[in-house]
Amino acid sequence: MKQIAVRTGWLVAAMLAVSALIVAGQGAWTTVAFINISFLLSLLPLSLGGLLFVYERGFFSGFAYGFRRLRMNRTKVERYLEEAAAEHESDEPLGPRRFAITYPLLFSGLLLFLAMIAAGYAVQ
């Protein structure tokens, strides 16, 4: 849990630094421009972390299984061969991969997203 908090903090700091560099590169430093760019940058790790989270939970496994079943031919001989092959396969199914960066991406994106929404309302 501590590693997630540390990685989340580093990602938030990196996104804020990149936002400051982008705003400084534009020439006109304004608080609204910084908030807007930080908000838009927060969407990238939020989306990527959300996608990884959904993938890790096995959401796409059902689709893959359904398409595999749909693609197969339905003759009796092939069904018997498939059942025989399934008996010899390992009983331990291969699950989706786990990524160490999923929660830091998700939390840093969400934290910066919410902070920039609050900052946007505070500035106006």
Side-chain angles (χ1 to χ4, degrees):
M1 195 57 134
K2 183 180 177 184
Q3 279 185 337
I4 292 173
V6 170
R7 288 179 182 167
T8 299
W10 279 109
L11 282 171
V12 168
M15 285 188 291
L16 289 173
V18 169
S19 298
L21 287 174
I22 291 172
V23 172
Q26 289 178 344
W29 177 266
T30 63
T31 307
V32 174
F34 178 74
I35 290 171
N36 288 338
I37 290 174
S38 298
F39 175 79
L40 291 174
L41 278 179
S42 72
L43 293 176
L44 183 67
L46 183 62
S47 300
L48 188 59
L51 181 66
L52 288 174
F53 180 78
V54 168
Y55 174 73
E56 285 180 0
R57 299 293 176 213
F59 178 75
F60 299 112
S61 300
F63 289 115
Y65 176 75
F67 281 116
R68 227 180 303 129
R69 297 287 296 176
L70 181 66
R71 195 178 62 208
M72 290 185 323
N73 198 352
R74 297 288 184 203
T75 64
K76 279 189 178 186
V77 173
E78 289 177 352
R79 273 190 264 157
Y80 291 139
L81 289 174
E82 179 187 323
E83 289 173 8
E87 290 175 2
H88 296 296
E89 290 180 1
S90 66
D91 291 338
E92 189 175 319
L94 296 175
R97 293 179 55 187
R98 302 280 182 204
F99 300 100
I101 196 72
T102 301
Y103 289 108
L105 278 174
L106 192 61
F107 293 150
S108 66
L110 185 63
L111 179 69
L112 198 57
F113 178 80
L114 295 175
M116 290 304 119
I117 287 176
Y121 279 117
V123 168
Q124 289 180 348

